[in-house]
Amino acid sequence: MDAVVAGSSADARARQTEQQMTDDERFSLLISVMGALPLNPVRDERIPEGTPMSAGYTPGVPRLGIPALLMSDASLGIANPGYRPGDTATALPAGIALGASFNPALAWEAGRMVGREARSRGFNVQLAGGINLARDPRNGRNFEYISEDPLLSAVLVAESIDAIQGEGVISTIKHYSLNCNETNRHWLDAIIDPAAHRESDLLAFQIAIERAQPGAVMAAYNKINGDYAGGNDALINGVLKRAWRYPGWVMSDWGATPSWDFALKGLDQESGAQVDMMMWHKESFGEPLRGAYLEGKLPRERLSDMVRRILRSMFAVGIDRWGHAPAVDMEQHREVALEAARQGIVLLKKDGILPLAETAARIAVIGGLAQLGVPAGTGSSAVVPPGGYAAVVPICGPGVMGSARNLYLMPSSPLVELKELLPGARLEFDPGMCPGESELLARRCDVVIVFAIRVEGEGFDLPDLSLPWGQDAVIEAVASANPHTIVVLETGNPVAMPWRDRVKGIVEAWYPGQAGGQAIAEVLSGRVNPSGRLPITFPADLAQTPRPELPGLGTPWGTPATIPYDEGAEVGYRWFASERLTPRYAFGYGLSYTSFSYSDLEVRAGETITASFKVTNTGSHPGADVPQLYLTGAGGEQRLRLLGFERVELQPGESHRLTITADPRLLARFSGPDGILGSWSIADGIHRVALGRSASDFALAVDVPVKARRFGS
Ligand code: BGC
């Protein structure tokens, strides 16, 4: 059945089913409650015994064939931050690593894996689809998201949502919108020009929703221009439901429903209601919403709409029609995690040292707990890998997420994997605790590999771009003792790299998931040719970013903060171009062990722009390239926009002709009477289209005349 037919029959069924419900049944669908955690082991009495503990539970209505909703986090696997002791799942690399792959097919594989594992555990709603744009390299949660670019983020997230829902599991897309910093997120007001919002974060949501039709949208914690995301009439009723005609339901984030009247602003379901009790001392969609209904403040039609939207997504995705769950092949899923880690690794600097020479006989491996494993991001997305973590170090911190902040180590040790792949070399390990000690080992080795890690996660922004625990000092010491030094970063965000000119190799491996150690060893040894590209600009320092000082950073939990996103739609590489700044490493940048050339760029313009070109592997190794098509000027105005990309694998000497058609919204500017509702317009005149290796390295460019046009909403 095609999606439109499925949608219209789901609408009809939702309407019929809702008509048969009692008000009690209707209200029962509007709240989800959180499962018990070891820290808070009391099962909420609304969750029947035997139900697997998870982020959210909403009872069903068996007499009408409405299943209960069992919700689990998130995009990187079936998360289990303590809910179900002993329950492990395939742990993918960070979302930002998936972003670095620039590979939609890989995102789809990852989504399918997540969907299958969710379903095998009985979860029918996956709280996946994190797509907030990386506006700030201090955002603790960037690791969970995809990138700073709306198109890249939307395309990859849509593939993963589509695959999850293809397994019969509803996926969310989240956090709508502008939860781009974690600093005091419950009290954070994100200020943005409404039209610029449409051209950036909202465009990412819009494209992803069109492509994948996620069953639910999760509203963010923060306010946007003064109104909470979950109670933001302009964004939910105006943009999402009216302009985009979104038919699914909008759930709140956990503990983000302070008032029943969010229902009038478009919110359909309160999530994790006990957290609201803790935060705001009430479950707003419980008694307060019923009271409003009885007093006539919540219209009957709106109550029906809230319920129908939930039912509609249940029926459209088919969670009411589950047969036997397909068998889960954990070995194959490990391969997915491994491949995602391989494709996500970005080679930043290779200066003749990478891949490792076979003649390197003595190799020092230093720091990063590389003898144990690889780090993971922290918070609600944390997945316990098969066999459990190699180690968990509680870090803690203030606020509700303080107790969930841990250094999680996935059990894939880069040291062990390197030893396996380099049997002819002698590898010695130093923990990197003391610069002097590390230096002693570095001095007597041919090559030094330093692993540098940082704990990043939900609920916390980073204070700056430095590495913690004195790791920058260790790298400086080692690099001055031995010039043949390689640094492998395992972080969720850019780092400052004050030692950059003194080391020969730099690799960004992000949080590479349960098979990360193997993927890193394969890239360093040359078994795998790196193909990742940066999905986020690496600034030279914070002074280059739109907000050198982050408002509210460091204030106690509960302090209201206002963050002006004055860069508007000029996020990341767009900002660097408009300010004429040279970053440390540009968006889209990444090296390979082979080389590629571009030729024969042809560009046609009509309703939109279509470009075709040839890419050739001119080196001597097989490898994958990611040619990127950019708009660099529109109708006399300088403007940088990623229009398209494609990852292509090529044998030495092989060529491929690729064609990319731009989404016309990427050529256009948004305008309207109130800024947020309106239309797109493409300027008249010459548009410049460039084919690049990154957002600041263009190989070819063509000017094409484009006719003015206005369209869509
Ligand atoms: C996060 C969401 C998550 C939810 C449920 C919240 O703290 O922001 O992304 O889905 O918890 O665990």
Side-chain angles (χ1 to χ4, degrees):
M1 205 177 347
D2 75 26
V4 178
V5 177
S8 64
S9 82
D11 280 328
R13 265 190 72 198
R15 193 164 302 113
Q16 284 156 13
T17 309
E18 188 272 330
Q19 276 164 4
Q20 298 170 55
M21 291 170 78
T22 64
D23 279 348
D24 280 346
E25 287 167 342
R26 291 190 178 93
F27 278 103
S28 73
L29 279 192
L30 305 184
I31 280 192
S32 77
V33 288
M34 230 172 132
L37 283 160
L39 275 176
N40 171 22
V42 184
R43 182 172 48 83
D44 191 291
E45 59 190 21
R46 289 167 282 189
I47 305 177
E49 235 168 301
T51 308
M53 288 301 144
S54 68
Y57 172 84
T58 299
V61 184
R63 75 176 183 93
L64 295 173
I66 302 171
L69 294 174
L70 277 85
M71 307 179 182
S72 172
D73 282 295
S75 309
L76 317 180
I78 310 309
N80 186 5
Y83 287 118
R84 303 174 301 281
D87 184 12
T88 63
T90 306
L92 288 167
I96 199 162
L98 186 64
S101 77
F102 278 66
N103 187 350
L106 184 69
W108 193 88
E109 281 298 333
R112 185 168 70 160
M113 179 229 102
V114 169
R116 289 222 160 153
E117 292 194 16
R119 179 149 176 194
S120 72
R121 288 164 177 74
F123 298 125
N124 53 17
V125 181
Q126 193 64 20
L127 306 169
I131 196 186
N132 297 84
L133 298 188
R135 285 178 174 269
D136 192 314
R138 286 161 296 201
N139 179 21
R141 245 180 140 175
N142 278 347
F143 81 92
E144 242 185 284
Y145 307 140
I146 303 285
S147 82
E148 67 189 23
D149 180 71
L151 179 73
L152 177 61
S153 300
V155 168
L156 295 196
V157 152
E159 289 301 309
S160 126
I161 292 171
D162 184 56
I164 292 173
Q165 297 202 150
E167 295 299 316
V169 173
I170 292 170
S171 175
T172 57
I173 186 166
K174 68 187 187 185
H175 308 86
Y176 186 76
S177 168
L178 277 185
N179 193 171
C180 297
N181 283 98
E182 289 294 290
T183 294
N184 275 313
R185 59 184 182 176
H186 287 88
W187 296 273
L188 186 164
D189 194 359
I191 306 296
I192 193 163
D193 169 69
H197 195 191
R198 290 295 307 266
E199 292 174 23
S200 53
D201 298 61
L202 291 179
L203 182 57
F205 276 99
Q206 187 177 11
I207 295 176
I209 289 171
E210 285 165 4
R211 288 181 173 228
Q213 294 147 27
V217 170
M218 188 191 296
Y221 277 121
N222 48 289
K223 298 175 183 173
I224 301 105
N225 294 338
D227 286 328
Y228 270 114
N232 201 304
D233 185 60
L235 286 180
I236 304 182
N237 282 333
V239 175
L240 183 65
K241 292 185 175 174
R242 272 202 295 279
W244 300 347
R245 301 205 169 95
Y246 176 67
W249 91 93
V250 180
M251 64 170 76
S252 71
D253 202 337
W254 271 234
T257 313
S259 167
W260 73 265
D261 71 358
F262 280 24
L264 301 179
K265 316 281 171 58
L267 189 71
D268 300 304
Q269 191 180 50
E270 172 181 13
S271 309
Q274 307 98 316
V275 193
D276 281 313
M277 188 56 100
M278 203 175 90
M279 292 282 310
W280 317 106
H281 314 295
K282 54 182 179 280
E283 291 187 0
S284 295
F285 280 16
E287 285 316 313
L289 191 69
R290 278 175 181 259
Y293 177 63
L294 293 177
E295 289 168 30
K297 293 183 189 151
L298 175 77
R300 168 64 204 267
E301 187 41 44
R302 174 66 187 125
L303 175 64
S304 295
D305 175 53
M306 293 162 86
V307 171
R308 278 186 209 150
R309 285 173 172 276
I310 298 171
L311 296 177
R312 197 250 182 221
S313 291
M314 289 181 172
F315 299 152
V317 177
I319 67 168
D320 58 320
R321 301 188 293 279
W322 276 11
H324 275 304
V328 167
D329 180 346
M330 292 301 276
E331 255 319 295
Q332 194 259 330
H333 287 183
R334 182 186 185 279
E335 285 300 310
V336 175
L338 174 59
E339 193 53 33
R342 286 174 177 146
Q343 293 191 23
I345 293 174
V346 185
L347 177 60
L348 296 173
K349 184 171 182 180
K350 62 176 177 177
D351 284 11
I353 202 171
L354 283 167
L356 287 167
E358 278 172 19
T359 49
R362 290 163 310 165
I363 300 178
V365 175
I366 294 177
L369 297 168
Q371 82 281 21
L372 291 177
V374 293
T378 129
S380 59
S381 65
V383 178
V384 187
Y389 292 117
V392 181
V393 183
I395 305 279
C396 292
V400 268
M401 294 309 289
S403 60
R405 193 184 186 204
N406 298 312
L407 165 54
Y408 296 111
L409 283 168
M410 298 275 174
S412 173
S413 153
L415 176 64
V416 171
E417 299 290 343
L418 277 166
K419 281 186 175 163
E420 200 151 300
L421 289 187
L422 304 168
R426 188 158 150 228
L427 279 86
E428 284 186 72
F429 181 73
D430 170 87
M433 278 168 29
C434 161
E437 202 175 69
S438 305
E439 201 180 315
L440 293 177
L441 175 62
R443 246 191 229 135
R444 59 183 161 77
C445 287
D446 302 321
V447 174
V448 185
I449 308 172
V450 190
F451 286 85
I453 62 175
R454 188 165 62 188
V455 174
E456 300 174 35
E458 187 175 339
F460 300 89
D461 282 334
L462 297 155
D464 53 41
L465 302 180
S466 63
L467 289 166
W469 303 313
Q471 293 174 100
D472 281 320
V474 169
I475 299 171
E476 296 278 6
V478 162
S480 49
N482 188 331
H484 305 291
T485 294
I486 299 162
V487 177
V488 179
L489 298 165
E490 296 167 282
T491 63
N493 262 305
V495 297
M497 304 184 223
W499 31 259
R500 182 176 77 128
D501 294 336
R502 287 181 291 288
V503 303
K504 285 226 160 79
I506 308 176
V507 172
E508 176 57 89
W510 316 106
Y511 299 138
Q514 69 175 46
Q518 181 180 338
I520 291 170
E522 288 174 345
V523 165
L524 296 178
S525 66
R527 296 269 175 116
V528 164
N529 190 349
S531 60
R533 302 289 184 263
L534 290 180
I536 178 171
T537 306
F538 275 45
D541 52 35
L542 284 173
Q544 288 190 325
T545 67
R547 276 165 302 286
E549 303 286 332
L550 183 59
L553 185 70
T555 52
W557 201 69
T559 312
T562 298
I563 303 189
Y565 291 102
D566 287 339
E567 72 277 22
E570 306 310 301
V571 184
Y573 67 87
R574 301 173 172 188
W575 165 261
F576 278 76
S578 65
E579 298 293 305
R580 299 180 193 282
L581 293 164
T582 305
R584 177 124 300 159
Y585 293 110
F587 172 88
Y589 170 85
L591 301 173
S592 164
Y593 296 150
T594 188
S595 52
F596 300 95
S597 75
Y598 303 151
S599 57
D600 306 335
L601 174 63
E602 287 167 17
V603 180
R604 277 181 290 120
E607 298 267 285
T608 182
I609 281 176
T610 298
S612 68
F613 53 88
K614 204 163 96 179
V615 48
T616 306
N617 182 343
T618 50
S620 47
H621 298 281
D625 189 25
V626 184
Q628 301 149 42
L629 192 75
Y630 291 90
L631 175 77
T632 62
E637 189 194 314
Q638 239 194 347
R639 195 191 312 158
L640 191 58
R641 298 283 184 268
L642 178 69
L643 296 180
F645 57 89
E646 189 157 334
R647 183 180 187 278
V648 53
E649 300 202 5
L650 295 169
Q651 293 300 316
E654 196 187 354
S655 293
H656 231 73
R657 191 155 189 92
L658 299 173
T659 300
I660 291 174
T661 297
D663 185 309
R665 287 167 290 199
L666 294 166
L667 307 173
R669 301 240 76 144
F670 189 84
S671 63
D674 63 356
I676 200 145
L677 297 172
S679 59
W680 299 90
S681 45
I682 296 183
D684 212 53
I686 297 296
H687 283 54
R688 173 160 278 220
V689 175
L691 183 60
R693 301 175 194 288
S694 77
S696 67
D697 179 6
F698 304 123
L700 301 167
V702 167
D703 285 341
V704 279
V706 173
K707 283 211 179 61
R709 113 180 153 85
R710 184 177 281 276
F711 59 92
S713 56

